[in-house]
Amino acid sequence: MHKVAVVQCSSYEESQVKEAVCKTLDLLGGLESFVKPASKVLLKPNLLLARNPEGAVTTHPQVLKVLIEEIKSIEAIPLVGDSPGGRNTQKALNKIFRETGIGKVCQETGTQIIIFDQEVIEAKNPDGKTFKRFEIAKIYQEVDVIINLPKLKTHGFMTLTGAVKNIFGFIPGVKKAQFHLKVPQRENFAQMLVDLNLLIRPHLSLMDAVVAMDGEGPSGGNPRNLGLILASRDPFALDFVVAQVCNIAPSLVPTVKKALEMGLIKPDLIEILGLSLEEVLVKDFVLPSGSVMDRVPSFIFCFARNQVTPKPQVDALKCTGCKTCYENCPSNAIEMRENIPHFDYDVCIRCYCCQELCPESAINLYLPILSKIFS
């Protein structure tokens, strides 16, 4: 059985988060079943951008703090690490840790921060279906336990960014863009993420869905108060249940679809503990514009890709000319003119990295007329 715990947590008030996280862990056998004394435990939050935690873009620091304290209580050693997308300079990373509140938590608890970009190795992946090797953060080999801490958000390219997508953080920031260039198709990119999870194999995935994000996630959507903490030993089962909670068909989440095809998810063997699906179902969860691609018949998509695929467009009133999109576009489809990005849609691969990494949420996805027919 693949057990998925679903627990209510109505706010980020410390006592409520502690109660919810501990209850979630107890439903899965207790933290001691994952972590032993003196073991090194790597906590991998979602640290996409330098945003205030109330914006629902990153894993909330209170969730991280509670887990750090629980790990220390059994005399294990917590570490915190990630590699946000783009070029991770020390200045940029310092800003991310400061703005998200993660840096303060690590400082207060005496927890070491690991920057995944600093030491990278090439790892063989014999269990992967397509991707048999990865350049990833060396730290994954140097710890005893990996705890994955995703934030529940929509995603323009993958529809949903949950437990499976969060493991992409083990790929160094500058290498992420290369994957988008080498694997621009959604299904193939999803296969890469599934294969990467078969290499990393997190021991536990605990999802922050107290305040989630719907709409144009993962950075420009709408905060949604779902009031939930969810967790599982199996990131694939967790994302399957999360899709159900958000009333999303499995076929609309490419990573869930791939995991189902590979037999990594067996719906009949998933046991939901705590709250039932009926108690937590969100019927009006808003999907990102990019998800419309999966509803377009393949023969139409192949014939008229530019006319059916959502296109990134800049809101000039919000744009500050920071060049983040320009510097991180894997296909070099952006030109800066008069300090405003302009897109070459013949070159654009529709990975939506520009939208994901824009610090001002100034890039929106425009639906062409044919796409609106299927939305």
Side-chain angles (χ1 to χ4, degrees), residues 140-157:
Y140 105 98
Q141 288 187 334
E142 300 174 339
V143 296
D144 303 297
V145 179
I146 295 173
I147 297 181
N148 185 21
L149 296 176
K151 182 79 168 179
L152 173 51
K153 300 182 292 181
T154 48
H155 193 278
F157 193 43

Side-chain angles (χ1 to χ4, degrees), residues 31-215:
L31 183 62
E32 294 82 357
S33 66
F34 302 96
V35 178
K36 305 303 178 187
S39 60
K40 290 184 178 181
V41 184
L42 178 63
L43 297 162
K44 197 289 180 193
N46 182 318
L47 295 180
L48 177 64
L49 290 172
R51 293 280 186 86
N52 186 289
E54 277 62 49
V57 173
T58 55
T59 305
H60 199 281
Q62 195 61 254
V63 176
L64 179 69
K65 182 180 180 183
V66 166
L67 270 168
I68 288 175
E69 291 173 346
E70 292 301 310
I71 290 166
K72 285 193 165 189
S73 73
I74 56 177
E75 299 183 346
I77 305 165
L79 307 167
V80 173
D82 195 7
S83 176
R87 294 173 176 82
N88 289 315
T89 66
Q90 193 61 55
K91 181 179 179 180
L93 289 168
N94 289 342
K95 184 178 180 182
I96 288 174
F97 284 111
R98 182 177 66 252
E99 295 293 327
T100 60
I102 299 298
K104 182 179 180 182
V105 165
C106 292
Q107 184 178 24
E108 290 177 347
T109 58
T111 303
Q112 183 181 357
I113 294 175
I114 306 295
I115 306 304
F116 289 173
D117 304 54
Q118 291 176 344
E119 289 192 80
V120 179
I121 60 169
E122 185 173 286
K124 294 181 179 179
N125 186 31
D127 294 331
K129 178 181 178 181
T130 303
F131 295 82
K132 297 295 186 179
R133 60 182 65 242
F134 287 97
E135 284 188 70
I136 60 170
K138 184 182 179 183
I139 187 66
Y140 105 98
Q141 288 187 334
E142 300 174 339
V143 296
D144 303 297
V145 179
I146 295 173
I147 297 181
N148 185 21
L149 296 176
K151 182 79 168 179
L152 173 51
K153 300 182 292 181
T154 48
H155 193 278
F157 193 43
M158 290 288 104
T159 303
L160 191 71
T161 173
V164 173
K165 177 65 169 62
N166 198 48
I167 294 298
F168 194 41
F170 279 87
I171 302 293
V174 293
K175 298 290 184 182
K176 289 183 173 71
Q178 294 178 19
F179 271 105
H180 281 290
L181 189 59
K182 293 176 183 177
V183 196
Q185 295 83 13
R186 285 157 66 89
E187 280 206 5
N188 294 340
F189 196 86
Q191 183 67 65
M192 180 273 295
L193 293 173
V194 170
D195 285 354
L196 179 61
N197 274 259
L198 293 175
L199 171 64
I200 300 296
R201 295 188 181 273
H203 298 80
L204 172 68
S205 293
L206 187 143
M207 183 176 291
D208 171 12
V210 180
V211 179
M213 177 180 285
D214 70 0

Side-chain angles (χ1 to χ4, degrees), residues 9-24:
C9 184
S10 58
S11 81
Y12 288 114
E13 197 274 323
E14 185 171 359
S15 62
Q16 289 196 29
V17 174
K18 182 178 176 65
E19 180 181 356
V21 168
C22 290
K23 183 176 181 180
T24 304

